[in-house]
């Protein structure tokens, strides 16, 4: 598995626009990357994530940017 990922702006646009022809694929890739980040955090014994993503809370991490919102 590669340790670096290049974020092409086309991916960001496809992810953010439901009308983009690649939106569904971008969503699937984003979900795969999220799962990989969660596994990486678990493997490294990390507990805090600088994110607003509630999935990290569901996985048992502190989603620091969600504190006070849950």
């Amino acid at each position: 598995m590669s340790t670096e990922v290049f974020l092409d702006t086309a991916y960001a646009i496809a992810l953010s626009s439901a009308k983009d022809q690649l939106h569904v694929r971008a969503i699937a890739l984003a979900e795969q990357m999220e799962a990989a980040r969660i596994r990486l955090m678990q493997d490294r014994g990390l507990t805090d994530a600088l994110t607003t993503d509630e999935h990290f809370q569901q996985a048992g991490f502190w989603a620091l940017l969600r504190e006070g919102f849950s």
Side-chain angles (χ1 to χ4, degrees):
M1 179 159 75
S2 176
T3 58
E4 295 183 32
V5 174
F6 171 76
L7 174 60
D8 187 341
T9 54
Y11 168 78
I13 292 167
L15 189 60
S16 66
S17 175
K19 294 180 181 180
D20 191 287
Q21 64 183 358
L22 297 174
H23 180 72
V24 172
R25 181 69 179 135
I27 292 289
L29 288 170
E31 290 170 353
Q32 290 172 10
M33 290 190 318
E34 180 179 277
R37 289 190 302 268
I38 288 172
R39 281 192 308 273
L40 177 68
M41 288 184 65
Q42 290 168 335
D43 290 349
R44 293 189 177 184
L46 301 174
T47 59
D48 300 348
L50 188 58
T51 184
T52 61
D53 191 328
E54 67 184 274
H55 295 120
F56 284 83
Q57 283 180 315
Q58 293 168 353
F61 300 108
W62 289 102
L64 297 173
L65 295 176
R66 288 188 61 86
E67 291 302 307
F69 295 108
S70 52

